[in-house]
Amino acid sequence: MKAPAFNYARASSVQEAIDLLSHYGDRAKVLSGGQSLMPALNLRLLAPEWLIDIGPIVDLRRISVESGLLTIGASTRHADLHRSPDIAAHAPLLKDAVAHVAHPAIRNRGTIGGSLAHADPASELPACMVALDATIVVLGPDGERRIPAVDFFVGIYETQLLPGELLVAIEVPKRAAGVRHFFSEHVRRSGDYAMAGLAAEAEIDGDAFVRLRLGFFAVGERPILATAARHLIGRPVTEAVLAQACAALDDELAPQDDHQATAGMRRYLARQLLVECIVSLLGRSDLRTKVVA
Amino acid sequence: MTPGMQTAGLSPLDRPNSYIGKAVPRPNLERLLEGRGQYVSDITLPRMVHAVFVRSPHAHARIVGIDVTEAKTMSGVIAVVTGAELAKVITPWVGVLSHLKGLKSAPQHAIAVDRACWQGEAVAAVLATSRALAEDAAEHVVVEYEPLPVVTNVRTALDPATPIIHAELGDNLAFERKIDAGAVDDAFKRSDKIVDVEFIFGRHTGVTLEPRSIVADWAPGDRRMTVYLGNQAPHMVQNIVAKHLDLEEAQVRVLCKDVGGSFGVKVHIYADEMATCALSKLLRRPVKFVADRVESFNTDIHARDHICRGRIGVSHDGTINVFEIDDLTGVGPYSMYPRTSAVEANQVIILIGGPYTTPNYRGRTRVVFQNKNVMSQYRGVGHPIACSITEGLVDLAAQAIGMDPVEIRRRNMVRDDAYPCDSPTGLKFEALSHHASLDKLVAMMRYDDLRAEQVKLRKQGIYRGIGIASFIEVTNPGAAFYGVGGARISSQDGVAVRLDAAGTVICQTSVTEQGQGSESMTAQIVASAIGVSMEKVRVILGDTDNTPYGGGTWASRGTGIAGEAALQAAKVLRGNILATAAAILQGKPDDFDIVDGMIVDAHGQQRIELNELTRIAYFRPDTLPPGFQPELMATRHYVPRQYPFAFTNGVQASWLEVDVITGKVKLLKHWVVEDCGTIINPQLVDEQIRGGVVQGLGAALFEHCIYDETGQLTNANMADYLVPMATEMPDIEVGHQISPTLESELGAKGAGEAGAAGAAACVSNAVNDALSPFGVTITEIPLTPRLILTALGRI
């Protein structure tokens, strides 16, 4: 279980990284926190000719707040997100979510940019970006592209990133007053990849949703912004409405079987997550599915 | 008790300065915590090369041809060796023992020669100057396979339509055993209720933190093979390496230094380890092989994987009239060498019903071959299965007659004053404490309060369960385990103790250390028996050149057997020291004692230190009385012979919550009361119990080697094979009953496997207890959310 030989380049600036990436194209892989890349190399699932280490680029490890926008550098560690007061104040969903990302040792090294670029459909952060309506900022030889998170994720380990491009930052709209969030996932063990998960953000007026973004993960090939939310917006939520939303959700999921859960079980867990989410956001425990022995 | 050993009416083991029963830190702790352990992968020898094995991707395939041309030209490559080439220096083996009547297996080669019989079997070895370069070259060894039909399903392995894996054996049946005791059919007839269920146990493995590792160093100059190996039984390895490489045992030295976990995984010798020895002999240079995690999953022995139909007959008054089982297990394509793959099934069939007086028992177990990785002994060997079946049936019987699970056990367990006695299967019990242990457990867990809490929470839609499991455990095995079957695996152990010139005790023992605390246990006994502080005892183990001959550490035998040998050797040395002191101080040996390294007289007056005694003995013997020769070294060996095994007993309980929406089981608390006789170090015993419990909980909820129908292991990595992690583990409270064995002076029985024996059984029982309002019974492990949601009809 040793990685095949590779060449190693340390990029000291974003420009240098992009130059190296443009030069080597798909012969190169970006090394950020290395928490997915190194195991893949050691298992010889990947054999890139070059690794371009963006670790030394200090500019990429930052969190800043300006005029309604939270900007997170791609090399920001999960642990940074968890302890950042700015994240806690302006994107508390992220603070909750990163606590579920693997284990402390992995959170100390793993980066947000790495997680998003890797695009594992069972990961927490891509779904959060979808729920938060974030923008992924990438730089390439032809300059900057700003891609809405809902469009960024294409499939299993697939994004809109082109060879030669580097994911440099994530922009998250600052949370407005009164916005609520929900995060939950079903895992076999704490820190495992989810069997199903949901990251959600909502605005509520009285007893009805004004806005509801449901970012499901581990229930399809990429994080899913569930359109089932439309059934729940702008009207009082009743058991019937919730059932209608659950049915709609079922239609738009395309989960797969794996060792931990069948597709059917994933659909079931996603429906349970939706119910829990609505119960939690609205404070309506009366909506919880009754279980009678 | 020797008269000279008495001090104020106390034995040396319970004098005020005794270490027996004290939770002293392990002597090796600081070294290991400083990162100064020496594991096999830390060993680097001159001219050493690294072996990587090319492994079959097929579960069953004929090897048509192997093209090594390109691999041989690659950077750093020293050699590429096929099974046929290696067979010139190493003979194949057959993993059978004569006392397991009818057990059969086929010859197994160190590297497959014509045919690979499981996915992961080695078909060629690449040797290079680094592991990475060897892996590079291994990718360029081109093997042409002709896939053969696979046998994976144990239920159909014996069907006439199923291909036979080893044609020369005639069928796929490796071993079968039947027991029929008492009057089974009558007992069922007069039972008021009969429960009949099928239990399924998932295949899992040991997952040692340090993978299997070996450095083999054939030195042609002195015609000796030195083997550094992470293993539990160095003398067994010495015998086998010599036997198959055409060497005398004296030509083989086996060193087992620090070992990062063993659990029975490392009590065997594996084909790739034997191949590494043979490669060293072939290449005349040191060869290192360290299994990586994927190889570990594919080649470390697997265990359990039983399907067992169980029946129990019970009367309305709670009397258990009868047990009956029909057990089936698949063990891979070969019976493991040299301890075989029939022992787990054999243990299952003899241990069923163990805690109970029920005289009527019928059992059958069948062990079949299949094209999966080999199965063999792993911590608990058969106990977890026998306990889960027995205790699962007892709970279901209690449910059938509406009796509390504690009450049905009290009515049927062998009375604490009934010993010695025999079980229906012929097991001999010297002294067990089922009732006292259960009483203690019930008090520790506040059973009645928990039942009240359970009822209250159910009304709020919270489903908690209580599960209880009593068990008996085989420990301190004598020759009955392996020796009588023809295996050269010693059941006795030896310990040599001597004083060095500065009065320090050097202790060489045949027991080995893989983290369970053998070194500490030995030092505590020796220090206590002689009368010195533990710092004055240095323990040497794991080296066939430098320890007495003995079995090693396995089958919960280290303390009970090697600990007794240590006590007896230390007592002899103590007597010799006192004789020397008497010669120096012109008195009688009985007039003196050794207290904290000092010779004291009958009034407690300090006379001379041990280092003064050794100075005189070693450097000024001219001053000693004529004709007196100090003998400051003593050796003793020990094996129990009165009882084939020293049975222990225990009982465990689990308190857990089942989330009936998600199917998740949350373990809230676990209790154990066990009886291992005399306890040397309570902290080490408790940690052994807890470690075993955690492995049992892993089996209950998480661990599973998942094969597909083509014989591919589909989750051979730490992301997909789920080991129990700290976050999911409950607090584990451990209590003890103490019924020493009278066969040894020490009175210690084994404790290493008690935790694993009962943990899964009580989790299963607790889950079924929690789900009882839903009318759901699950008799399969691991108890995954998927299994539970399916049983509840939610998915």
Side-chain angles (χ1 to χ4, degrees), chain A residues 1 188-190 259 268, chain B residues 135-136 661 701 714 723 728:
Chain A
M1 208 186 261
R188 291 293 310 277
R189 302 170 304 178
S190 167
H259 288 307
Y268 165 83
Chain B
E135 285 188 24
D136 287 347
I661 299 293
L701 298 181
T714 59
V723 295
E728 280 69 38

Side-chain angles (χ1 to χ4, degrees), chain B residues 188-199:
Chain B
F188 275 117
K189 269 185 214 137
R190 63 186 157 80
S191 293
D192 295 316
K193 295 278 182 184
I194 294 170
V195 178
D196 185 340
V197 287
E198 183 178 80
F199 295 88

